[in-house]
Amino acid sequence: MCYPMNINVTHISNTFNNGSLMMAITAISYINTHVDNVRFFVDCQTEEDLERLKKETGITSIEMMPQRHAVPSRSKLAKLIRRLKEARTDGTLYDVRIVLGGDDISEYYQKRGWLVSFPLMFFEQLSLPTILLGQTIGPFTSYRRLLAKFALSRAKIYTRDDDTVEYMRQLGLRSVHAGRDLAFMKLPNQDVAKVVLAEYNLVDRPYIVLVPSGLVRCYTSNYPVYVDEHYNIIRGILSDERLANMHVV
């Protein structure tokens, strides 16, 4: 009897984040096509998120991870012990964990927190093999460089840019592979999506869509400079003769 492979896919809690949803759709669809007898367990927040994911992939063997109702505690040690116990449980439930991409493994969002998060990440990977898929990682400063090397040493890392590959290898990590953002892969159901074009009398493909980040503070404290730079990007696109027939959205 061939038991199903149970894959835990995380960072898809909110399917109304279009980038996260596209990464989940492409990763799950591709794996389902190339791996026989597989079940997916995702960290969707709600049943609505789960149903959206099933609809977009056309795959029914997707379930929500078991909900954990932790006892509230102010003790950081108690929370850490609980997380370690949960990691051991996950090791018995799943064959592999896939952490979908983003840029949150960096100092942009936290600094001091990595003193706990990195060791915890390492011990979680002891219990469950982990793949970091479509990731931009770092940079790190001070003691966090050593912690990052320690925490990521057991993971298989597939980046979404070449700079991350180079940076990870500078840290001394070896299980790092060059990749690209999963959101750029071909999504399923594109023929169905073209109904929208007909509904709004749009022509397929003559558009370049620019999506500026709203997290201005991550790039600069000078908002006018940030806006001006996007203005320059748009002017550059419009002046490129190769794109003469394109519309910028």
Side-chain angles (χ1 to χ4, degrees):
M1 180 178 180
C2 181
Y3 292 99
M5 173 178 281
N6 294 331
I7 300 179
N8 177 215
V9 184
T10 66
H11 283 201
I12 184 53
S13 59
N14 176 19
T15 62
F16 289 91
N17 180 317
N18 288 334
S20 296
L21 178 59
M22 286 191 291
M23 286 190 289
I25 292 169
T26 52
I28 290 174
S29 297
Y30 186 89
I31 293 170
N32 190 69
T33 300
H34 291 82
V35 180
D36 294 330
N37 198 17
V38 60
R39 294 189 304 179
F40 300 94
F41 296 83
V42 296
D43 62 349
C44 287
Q45 289 180 333
T46 67
E47 287 291 340
E48 182 182 15
D49 288 310
L50 179 63
E51 291 307 313
R52 280 167 56 83
L53 188 56
K54 286 183 177 181
K55 178 181 178 182
E56 293 300 327
T57 58
I59 298 170
T60 58
S61 56
I62 307 176
E63 303 176 31
M64 291 176 64
M65 295 172 58
Q67 296 295 313
R68 294 187 170 111
H69 303 286
V71 178
S73 173
R74 294 184 179 180
S75 169
K76 293 183 179 180
L77 179 60
K79 291 180 181 178
L80 181 61
I81 293 173
R82 186 183 73 239
R83 285 283 299 274
L84 292 172
K85 288 181 178 179
E86 290 173 354
R88 291 184 62 183
T89 301
D90 288 346
T92 65
L93 296 175
Y94 313 119
D95 297 294
V96 65
R97 169 171 290 150
I98 297 176
V99 182
L100 294 178
D103 59 357
D104 54 329
I105 305 179
S106 72
E107 292 184 5
Y108 292 129
Y109 305 107
Q110 65 168 330
K111 280 193 174 183
R112 294 181 180 177
W114 289 118
L115 188 60
V116 174
S117 296
F118 271 145
L120 181 60
M121 187 182 297
F122 176 83
F123 287 112
E124 286 178 336
Q125 293 167 15
L126 285 178
S127 300
L128 182 61
T130 301
I131 298 171
L132 304 179
L133 184 58
Q135 297 277 349
T136 296
I137 300 176
F140 300 103
T141 57
S142 186
Y143 63 87
R144 287 172 288 272
R145 288 174 56 86
L146 291 175
L147 282 178
K149 178 181 178 181
F150 170 70
L152 302 173
S153 60
R154 298 186 63 86
K156 288 185 180 295
I157 303 171
Y158 294 86
T159 73
R160 64 178 182 182
D161 57 86
D162 295 337
D163 288 343
T164 297
V165 176
E166 183 178 350
Y167 183 69
M168 290 291 95
R169 289 176 178 168
Q170 287 175 0
L171 287 182
L173 296 168
R174 294 290 174 261
S175 187
V176 183
H177 310 275
R180 289 297 179 263
D181 198 316
L182 297 177
F184 289 132
M185 292 178 64
K186 185 176 181 180
L187 292 166
N189 298 326
Q190 290 305 288
D191 291 336
V192 177
K194 288 182 179 180
V195 172
V196 176
L197 298 176
E199 182 178 351
Y200 293 98
N201 196 29
L202 299 173
V203 180
D204 191 17
R205 293 189 181 280
Y207 306 99
I208 296 175
V209 181
L210 179 67
V211 186
S213 172
L215 298 175
V216 179
R217 61 179 175 78
C218 291
Y219 306 97
T220 180
S221 58
N222 192 324
Y223 186 76
V225 168
Y226 184 76
V227 174
D228 286 344
E229 186 58 30
H230 281 91
Y231 173 74
N232 292 332
I233 291 172
I234 294 170
R235 284 183 62 88
I237 293 172
L238 292 173
S239 63
D240 191 324
E241 295 181 357
R242 297 170 300 174
L243 308 174
N245 297 322
M246 305 295 284
H247 302 290
V248 179
V249 179

